Amino acid sequence: MFERFTTSAREVVRGAVRHAEDTGSDTVGEAELLLALLDRTGSPAADALAALGAHGRRDSIERALAEVRRRGGISNADAEALAGLGIDVGEIVARVEEAHGVGALATGGAPARTPRRGKRPPRRPFAREAKSVLERSLRIALARGDKHIGDEHLLLSLTARPGIAAHVLADHDVTYVQVERALAARAES
């Protein structure tokens, strides 16, 4: 499948690995793919994100992703749903952090081991949800009649199903339908 990836899509994947390294995550997840997409310029996904105002709200998106990570993967929508049941996620996180330290629930696990001298650093595997995003991007490309997988397909895949990235983007007014429209507008111009 990777051979169908455009240069831009490959850069997103490489960028996601770098973001995982920067955050100390031992796996690459949806959040890292989203951050790597936000790093792009001059590509279909970058143009769509810019048209939808996501680039201008990058700091807010990064903070939202960090908060979801801190809560162990619980999105704002999940936290609101739990609040409706009388469960205060903020209070639970505060108690866990009080007992076990700040970031105790943070998703991504422990930082990868430091390589021994002269050895290459260990590769960060892709988490199940990130693999699902990559697989879904292939299905989206095929459904659209495209013979390649570009960063636009990765963005569509991130917004196509519920997940950390989709919830954070939706909270910032970026949805699958809006991404499709922005991509269509870009293709027409």
Side-chain angles (χ1 to χ4, degrees):
M1 175 173 74
F2 203 61
E3 65 277 358
R4 290 186 176 206
F5 277 48
T6 62
T7 301
S8 184
R10 288 173 193 239
E11 282 300 314
V12 169
V13 171
R14 288 184 195 104
V17 171
R18 284 190 298 275
H19 279 287
E21 291 168 352
D22 291 348
T23 61
S25 177
D26 59 351
T27 60
V28 178
E30 285 186 17
E32 290 79 17
L33 286 168
L34 175 54
L35 290 171
L37 279 164
L38 288 168
D39 290 341
R40 305 290 305 147
T41 57
S43 68
D47 292 348
L49 286 168
L52 296 171
H55 283 295
R57 294 177 289 194
R58 182 186 176 114
D59 289 342
S60 176
I61 291 170
E62 284 187 36
R63 282 191 305 275
L65 289 171
E67 186 61 25
V68 169
R69 186 179 297 116
R70 181 176 161 257
R71 289 189 306 237
I74 297 175
S75 70
N76 286 342
D78 295 338
E80 288 174 18
L82 289 168
L85 298 171
I87 299 170
D88 184 349
V89 173
E91 178 64 27
I92 292 169
V93 170
R95 285 184 180 187
V96 169
E97 289 184 339
E98 184 178 302
H100 301 285
V102 175
L105 292 175
T107 57
R113 292 188 308 257
T114 304
R116 292 184 191 170
R117 190 173 172 157
K119 301 271 186 178
R120 288 179 53 182
R123 287 188 175 212
R124 286 188 165 52
F126 278 70
R128 184 181 59 225
E129 76 271 4
K131 288 179 184 177
S132 177
V133 168
L134 298 177
E135 291 166 2
R136 193 167 40 251
S137 69
L138 171 62
R139 288 193 293 276
I140 288 171
L142 292 173
R144 293 168 57 97
D146 297 331
K147 296 185 189 288
H148 67 280
I149 301 170
D151 66 347
E152 69 272 24
H153 301 108
L154 294 172
L155 177 58
L156 285 167
S157 179
L158 278 174
T159 58
R161 296 240 174 115
I164 291 170
H167 287 297
V168 168
L169 284 171
D171 288 345
H172 290 83
D173 301 320
V174 178
T175 64
Y176 182 86
V177 171
Q178 291 169 319
V179 171
E180 275 191 319
R181 288 181 186 150
L183 291 170
R186 180 185 191 271
E188 290 174 6
S189 51

